[in-house]
Amino acid sequence: MDFEKQTVVVIDDEPTTLLMLESAIEALAHVITVSDSAEAFSVVAKTQPALVLLDVSMPGLSGFDVCEQLKSYANTASIPVIFITSHSDSEHETTALSLGAIDFISKPIDVTLCRMRVKNHLTIQAQSDMLSAMNGQLEAEKKQLDVTLRSIADGVISTDASGDITFINPVAQRLTGYSEAEALGQPINVVMNLRDATTNNVMLNPAIYALEVRRPVAMAYNATLVSRHNQIFRVEDTASPIIDDHGNLLGAVIVFQDVSEAVEMAVKMTHLTNHDQLTGLPNRVLLHDRVMQAITRSFNAKQSVALMLIDIDNFKYLNDSLGHQIGDFIIASVAKRLSAAMGENATLARVGGDEFACLLTDNGMGFSADSIAMKCLQKGREPIEIDGKSHQLSLSIGISLYPQDAANAEEMMRHADTAMYRSKSKGKDTFSFFSHDLQHAMHHRVETEICLRNALDNDLLAVYLQPKYKFSCSDVISAEALVRLFDENGNVIGPDAFIPLAEETGLIHLLGKQVLRKSCEFVAKCNTKGVDLKVAVNVAAKQLADPGFATEVKQIIDEAGILPSSIELEVTESALMHDFEQTRTILNSLASLGVTIALDDFGTGYSSLSYLRQFPLNVLKIDRSFVIDMDKEQQAYDIVTAIVQLALSLDLTIVAEGIETKAHYDSLQELGCHYGQGYYMCKPITLDSFFEKYIVKSAVA
């Protein structure tokens, strides 16, 4: 049927809804949009559209007010009205139907179903107009009309004023299971067995209702047609009374369509929209909706809601090393285990790559978030068999409670994430509850990260030097570079606060590069005074994991124009053992450049003698934890003695750090240490202070 001359007026105060509806039906009819409900009546009265799509909830005049206006005037009373609504309760439906609405389009809007509904109503309107216009010529054109109705793709049934069938087209015969001969003269309720899809209760046939109210009506939502042969079809339809030019009620016509496939597709699309494809669990969108509902219920019942955020520890490493297919298998396996641990009363969702969330509600039976978290941890520890190999996993869990520590769904998710981060920082394989102290710590962490990024972006990191004294003559010919960070108020942020953060965020590479560059530039400055200074720079494990690290070091040294022997790179035992072969390769490359390699914090890590022969080490540093107690504890003194003897036997230069008293200094000197550093001799000082105190004086001397 040609809808080019038909007009549809869409009334809605939301621009996005107007745009969506206009796009959906512009191919069916000329669309006029109205955003101000106060102007709606005048626009409809002026344009006389074939159909009005009317939003229920609008500022000013509501959709019900506008509909009542339209039905109160003769020139607009017969214009069909379809309500657009997010409400699905019977009270709103009853109000809408009592005001003359013929159909509903639910929000959020399904474009396909919306287009079908509008098309059907435009078809009915066109047919109604056609029947009215051709009423006087009904006999002459009966054959043509009969052919048209029999050819239409929708089911069409007409009745007399008593509701007995006078016409049924082939599509309606197929859907009802009644032939034309069997249907003619039968009450339409007998032939069209309409039932509610959810309750299976019998529904009133729209044609009967149209006869009663003498106006077009639409079938109630969620209707099914049960055929004579017990086939079930999801249907949508519209019925209109047949009234002649003199106002006599002749009967009714109902047009209906099989939308089973469309409904099935909509259900599938809704499921895909709200569920994770890999695990079949609810996704973040559906979880958020359920959390909001749970909060509303718990607020009214004064009960608690718990949200657990669950992350698979070290999943990225497994995913990258074993492949994404194995990673998906791990995620699916963990999902099944978590589902088993939580039971049926919890909502488990997958909210990210390796992140799950669990919603727990107090349904009167009581719940224990910590006990369920323990079950999840236990399930997470169970090995997963992959290609005959057993892989051990663990989980980190963060828990937020409503209303104890969160006011809404977004805050619960944010607080659970914060608590999960605490679990990670505590060593993983554990759970943590959110607290305001934790929130403060996370806020401080965020501020520190912002400060660090700003310092790196603007080259604002400060390098301090702590001089190393030669025990044999007390001269200062080397120093250790120590990085310092200042906040916006000029307060010092300790390295213990920002170095781990730099490693976690990947900023350690840029931080290490800037410290090395500043140190090399300072050495070059000292060289201009004729002083050869050696500066030790700490190297993080992640820097050693970079295959291009040696090349980067060479480039920085070359740009500064200094000798590679002026730089000493300090590495820790744990850094050496991170990836043994790769680390050895990189250290050999660095040694070939001519830089010195120092082993820092010796005795606090693996303390394996075998690796001392495997790496090109030049210097061994005694950790301050041993030095600080050597004058009070015999065991600490014996450890330092053993380290010194070991280093001397391996022909390594010995540096003792953390010297705070004269007793420390004298003991270490007596044991045969080569160099020492600590507060007893000098605290770390700025580059300018170091230059004035040690370089300028040395140059003058």
Side-chain angles (χ1 to χ4, degrees):
M1 185 165 292
D2 186 3
F3 298 128
E4 288 183 359
K5 294 184 179 179
Q6 287 183 291
T7 299
V8 175
V9 172
V10 181
I11 305 166
D12 198 303
D13 64 304
E14 297 180 1
T16 53
T17 303
L18 287 176
L19 183 61
M20 181 183 296
L21 291 171
E22 183 177 9
S23 175
I25 62 178
E26 62 183 357
L28 302 176
H30 174 60
V31 182
I32 297 174
T33 60
V34 180
S35 60
D36 187 352
S37 59
E39 300 174 2
F41 176 77
S42 61
V43 172
V44 173
K46 181 179 179 180
T47 58
Q48 289 293 302
L51 186 64
V52 172
L53 273 61
L54 179 58
D55 186 22
V56 172
S57 300
M58 293 184 293
L61 295 177
S62 70
F64 292 151
D65 295 332
V66 174
C67 183
E68 192 170 7
Q69 275 188 335
L70 295 175
K71 298 304 178 181
S72 299
Y73 292 85
N75 63 334
T76 57
S78 62
I79 299 175
V81 175
I82 298 177
F83 274 117
I84 307 165
T85 178
S86 58
H87 301 287
S88 58
D89 56 280
S90 59
E91 180 179 351
H92 281 82
E93 291 183 3
T94 301
T95 302
L97 291 173
S98 66
L99 291 173
I102 62 170
D103 204 351
F104 302 88
I105 295 177
S106 299
K107 290 184 178 179
I109 295 173
D110 185 313
V111 173
T112 302
L113 292 179
C114 171
R115 187 181 293 113
M116 289 180 181
R117 289 178 182 274
V118 171
K119 179 181 177 181
N120 287 344
H121 290 301
L122 289 175
T123 301
I124 295 300
Q125 187 67 15
Q127 291 172 348
S128 179
D129 293 343
M130 182 187 302
L131 289 172
S132 298
M134 299 177 63
N135 189 53
Q137 306 173 13
L138 182 61
E139 290 299 327
E141 299 178 2
K142 183 177 180 180
K143 184 177 181 180
Q144 181 180 355
L145 179 60
D146 184 71
V147 171
T148 300
L149 293 176
R150 290 181 184 279
S151 301
I152 196 169
D154 295 341
V156 180
I157 298 177
S158 63
T159 72
D160 58 20
S162 300
D164 295 334
I165 296 175
T166 58
F167 174 83
I168 180 170
N169 76 342
V171 174
Q173 293 174 42
R174 176 178 63 82
L175 294 177
T176 61
Y178 284 83
S179 66
E180 182 176 24
E182 293 169 329
L184 293 179
Q186 292 285 341
I188 192 170
N189 277 335
V190 173
V191 176
M192 286 191 73
N193 183 9
L194 296 176
R195 294 182 176 272
D196 185 278
T198 303
T199 64
N200 200 38
N201 293 333
V202 175
M203 301 176 67
L204 176 65
N205 193 289
I208 301 299
Y209 189 55
L211 289 172
E212 293 178 3
V213 298
R214 297 172 66 93
R215 58 174 173 76
V217 295
M219 179 180 292
Y221 176 72
N222 205 32
T224 60
L225 172 62
V226 182
S227 76
R228 189 179 187 183
H229 308 297
N230 290 322
Q231 287 182 285
I232 299 176
F233 303 95
R234 286 294 296 270
V235 291
E236 290 182 350
D237 66 13
T238 302
S240 297
I242 302 173
I243 301 174
D244 64 16
D245 294 338
H246 304 289
N248 299 315
L249 181 64
L250 304 179
V253 59
I254 181 170
V255 178
F256 55 98
Q257 184 179 46
D258 177 11
V259 295
S260 301
E261 291 185 3
V263 171
E264 183 180 358
M265 180 60 68
V267 171
K268 289 181 178 179
M269 291 302 295
T270 300
H271 183 84
L272 289 175
T273 302
N274 293 288
H275 290 78
D276 172 54
Q277 295 187 43
L278 176 61
T279 63
L281 296 174
N283 59 15
R284 182 182 291 270
V285 175
L286 183 55
L287 174 71
H288 183 270
D289 180 67
R290 291 188 179 178
V291 172
M292 290 178 59
Q293 293 180 29
I295 287 176
T296 301
R297 290 194 300 269
S298 67
F299 177 81
N300 295 330
K302 300 187 183 304
Q303 296 174 336
S304 294
V305 176
L307 182 65
M308 301 194 325
L309 196 61
I310 307 166
D311 184 81
I312 304 175
D313 295 328
N314 304 316
F315 176 77
K316 186 178 186 301
Y317 169 77
L318 290 172
N319 197 44
D320 292 344
S321 59
L322 300 178
H324 296 292
Q325 186 173 1
I326 299 300
D328 288 348
F329 174 76
I330 292 174
I331 288 174
S333 300
V334 171
K336 291 179 181 178
R337 294 180 179 186
L338 293 176
S339 296
M342 294 172 185
E344 299 179 354
N345 293 329
T347 296
L348 178 65
R350 184 187 178 199
V351 296
D354 62 329
E355 284 188 354
F356 298 86
C358 175
L359 174 66
L360 302 170
T361 57
D362 187 348
N363 57 7
M365 303 293 290
F367 71 86
S368 174
D370 51 356
S371 64
I372 293 179
M374 285 298 300
K375 290 181 181 179
C376 293
L377 292 177
Q378 292 170 1
K379 287 290 184 180
R381 296 181 190 123
E382 296 177 3
I384 292 181
E385 296 293 329
I386 302 174
D387 296 332
K389 294 183 179 180
S390 180
H391 293 267
Q392 187 73 42
L393 299 178
S394 65
L395 306 173
S396 291
I397 302 175
I399 306 172
S400 175
L401 301 176
Y402 172 90
Q404 288 88 334
D405 60 57
N408 51 54
E410 292 78 9
E411 201 169 52
M412 285 193 76
M413 182 64 76
R414 193 166 62 250
H415 287 181
D417 186 65
T418 299
M420 186 189 71
Y421 175 80
R422 169 60 63 87
S423 296
K424 292 280 188 185
S425 65
K426 285 164 57 177
K428 306 174 183 178
D429 192 25
T430 188
F431 67 89
S432 302
F433 281 89
F434 175 83
S435 69
H436 291 290
D437 289 341
L438 177 57
Q439 184 180 33
H440 177 74
M442 288 301 299
H443 179 70
H444 180 69
R445 178 183 181 276
V446 171
E447 289 184 336
T448 301
E449 182 178 346
I450 293 173
C451 182
L452 177 59
R453 289 183 182 276
N454 178 65
L456 292 173
D457 292 342
N458 297 285
D459 199 20
L460 297 177
L461 283 177
V463 173
Y464 280 46
L465 293 179
Q466 184 171 42
K468 296 180 181 179
Y469 287 80
K470 193 171 184 180
F471 279 108
S472 61
C473 60
S474 298
D475 289 343
V476 175
I477 58 174
S478 64
E480 181 180 0
L482 301 171
V483 62
R484 295 290 184 265
L485 179 66
F486 295 91
D487 63 19
E488 58 183 8
N489 298 318
N491 299 316
V492 177
I493 300 175
D496 291 343
F498 69 86
I499 294 296
L501 181 60
E503 292 179 337
E504 181 184 335
T505 57
L507 296 174
I508 192 67
H509 299 282
L510 182 56
L511 185 151
K513 184 176 181 180
Q514 287 194 15
V515 173
L516 179 60
R517 178 176 54 77
K518 289 177 182 287
S519 299
C520 290
E521 291 173 351
F522 184 75
V523 170
K525 181 180 178 181
C526 295
N527 290 344
T528 61
K529 294 293 185 179
V531 177
D532 294 328
L533 179 71
K534 191 182 192 72
V535 175
V537 179
N538 290 281
V539 176
K542 288 190 176 181
Q543 290 178 274
L544 284 180
D546 181 4
F549 180 62
T551 302
E552 181 181 280
V553 171
K554 182 180 185 305
Q555 181 182 353
I556 293 173
I557 291 175
D558 289 345
E559 289 176 353
I562 63 173
L563 294 174
S565 58
S566 301
I567 296 299
E568 183 175 289
L569 299 179
E570 295 187 4
V571 297
T572 62
E573 289 181 280
S574 58
L576 291 180
M577 302 306 294
H578 182 70
D579 187 329
F580 188 92
E581 291 300 328
Q582 179 173 314
T583 302
R584 183 168 61 176
T585 300
I586 292 176
L587 289 181
N588 284 330
S589 298
L590 291 169
S592 66
L593 296 178
V595 301
T596 302
I597 307 297
L599 179 59
D600 194 12
D601 300 339
F602 181 77
T604 62
Y606 294 91
S607 299
S608 172
L609 302 181
S610 63
Y611 69 73
L612 292 177
R613 299 184 298 105
Q614 301 293 325
F615 297 106
L617 302 175
N618 309 108
V619 178
L620 188 148
K621 297 191 71 175
I622 304 174
D623 187 68
R624 70 182 307 274
S625 62
F626 299 125
V627 173
I628 200 72
D629 293 327
M630 64 181 295
D631 60 342
K632 294 177 292 187
E633 297 180 6
Q634 184 62 39
Q635 186 180 47
Y637 182 87
D638 292 341
I639 291 175
V640 173
T641 302
I643 293 174
V644 171
Q645 292 175 352
L646 173 64
L648 291 174
S649 68
L650 295 174
D651 197 25
L652 297 175
T653 299
I654 309 169
V655 178
E657 58 183 2
I659 301 173
E660 296 188 358
T661 66
K662 187 177 187 303
H664 293 158
Y665 185 91
D666 293 341
S667 296
L668 291 166
Q669 184 180 36
E670 182 181 346
L671 288 173
C673 289
H674 301 109
Y675 297 93
Q677 64 184 90
Y679 281 19
Y680 173 68
M681 293 88 81
C682 183
K683 294 182 179 181
I685 56 179
T686 65
L687 295 180
D688 290 341
S689 297
F690 189 96
F691 191 78
E692 290 295 326
K693 184 174 182 179
Y694 296 103
I695 305 304
V696 174
K697 290 183 179 180
S698 177
V700 172

